[in-house]
Amino acid sequence: MRLIFFGPPGVGKGTQAKILSSRLGIPQISTGAILRRAVSEKTKLGLEVSKYLDEGRLVPDKLIIDLIAEELVQPDAQKGFILDGFPRTVPQAEGLDEIFGRLHLKLDRVLEISVPEKVIINRLVNRRICKNCGEEYNLIFRPIPEDGKCENCGGTEFIHRSDDTEETIRKRLEVYKNETQAVLGYYGKQNLLSKVQGNEDIDVVTQNIFEALKIKG
Ligand code: AMP
């Protein structure tokens, strides 16, 4: 299956994409995670994009479309994939269509996850991420275990993303409204859009996603 998980920051795209990726045996391709890795490894790409990430702005379309074109020809993406955080502009969606055309691939579905804005801000300012495996915690809803060890991998370092501050979250939400939301119209016209509410327990949302995609959980 070739899927896009869509929605503003903090609705649980990454969390749900990770779960579906392991259940369906297809990779999760997160442009944000790829860019953050490049920044932390100080590669040429990382140095070019770090300012955009820190300010909550979108990196230029061409750069991100080229990055996705490279990801989609990787061996593990041949059975399908979940795009998480891409496309974020209409030109990116057009660029993706162009790549699909070249590779003779078809997009199966775009899944929009929505959550009220107040909840998003609360989720993100309190988000902490295991540095080793990426498991997400939340100081209010899912605190870091008392022994200080990640439940998934035993890691002991937890990150507060530099763009998860209230000011940058507001900026990212504004960017979503101004530049990203229009992508919904692009896929709506092609009848590719399904919607789920993300303001529920993680496993309830997962179940609703399986139902929305009409696949067995
Ligand atoms: P995310 O992890 O999806 O919240 O992305 C974190 C940051 O990476 C965003 O605020 C942007 O600066 C950048 N980014 C991720 N995906 C894209 C994209 N498709 N287009 C442009 N910028 C992106």
Side-chain angles (χ1 to χ4, degrees):
M1 273 200 126
R2 295 179 202 93
L3 304 169
I4 293 174
F5 278 16
F6 194 87
V11 294
K13 297 187 296 292
T15 304
Q16 294 296 335
K18 192 172 171 192
I19 297 171
L20 264 86
S21 152
S22 100
R23 296 241 202 124
L24 300 176
I26 54 177
Q28 166 191 14
I29 302 176
S30 158
T31 42
I34 295 170
L35 296 174
R36 274 190 294 284
R37 199 177 321 124
V39 171
S40 81
E41 290 171 358
K42 299 197 170 62
T43 63
K44 185 167 165 280
L45 170 71
L47 296 173
E48 207 175 328
V49 302
S50 71
K51 208 165 161 10
Y52 292 95
L53 269 76
D54 277 345
E55 292 170 6
R57 288 189 292 137
L58 296 183
V59 309
D61 287 334
K62 170 148 179 22
L63 191 154
I64 205 92
I65 293 168
D66 289 350
L67 187 150
I68 283 289
E70 258 178 53
E71 291 293 322
L72 298 194
V73 293
Q74 297 305 313
D76 68 339
Q78 299 317 303
K79 277 192 299 179
F81 43 78
I82 303 174
L83 297 180
D84 159 19
F86 176 91
R88 263 170 147 105
T89 63
V90 171
Q92 289 183 16
E94 290 166 348
L96 182 63
D97 274 349
E98 204 262 318
I99 298 168
F100 276 172
R102 215 181 323 136
L103 301 176
H104 306 290
L105 300 177
K106 195 178 111 314
L107 177 64
D108 290 297
R109 206 94 213 132
V110 179
L111 185 94
E112 181 195 4
I113 308 179
S114 46
V115 166
E117 191 166 306
K118 258 201 330 228
V119 178
I120 289 181
I121 295 172
N122 203 14
R123 275 187 182 181
L124 293 184
V125 288
N126 293 302
R127 173 160 75 173
R128 298 295 181 271
I129 302 166
C130 171
K131 189 174 177 190
N132 185 46
C133 74
E135 186 78 1
E136 291 197 9
Y137 294 87
N138 182 290
L139 299 182
I140 296 169
F141 313 112
R142 190 191 175 203
I144 293 163
E146 275 183 16
D147 63 1
K149 290 190 182 149
C150 172
E151 280 169 18
N152 188 42
C153 74
T156 52
E157 276 189 75
F158 300 88
I159 302 168
H160 183 201
R161 264 174 61 172
S162 60
D163 59 352
D164 276 348
T165 58
E166 183 158 350
E167 189 193 346
T168 312
I169 295 162
R170 287 196 190 280
K171 170 77 187 155
R172 286 156 68 201
L173 290 171
E174 197 187 302
V175 167
Y176 176 80
K177 281 181 204 146
N178 294 339
E179 301 182 53
T180 305
Q181 215 163 22
V183 176
L184 287 174
Y186 184 86
Y187 290 120
K189 269 191 238 151
Q190 301 177 45
N191 278 328
L192 283 171
L193 209 53
S194 300
K195 295 184 187 211
V196 293
Q197 292 300 323
N199 197 13
E200 308 263 4
D201 286 348
I202 291 177
D203 47 351
V204 174
V205 179
T206 305
Q207 200 45 47
N208 291 342
I209 291 176
F210 275 108
E211 276 163 31
L213 296 176
K214 300 189 173 57
I215 46 182
K216 287 212 179 104

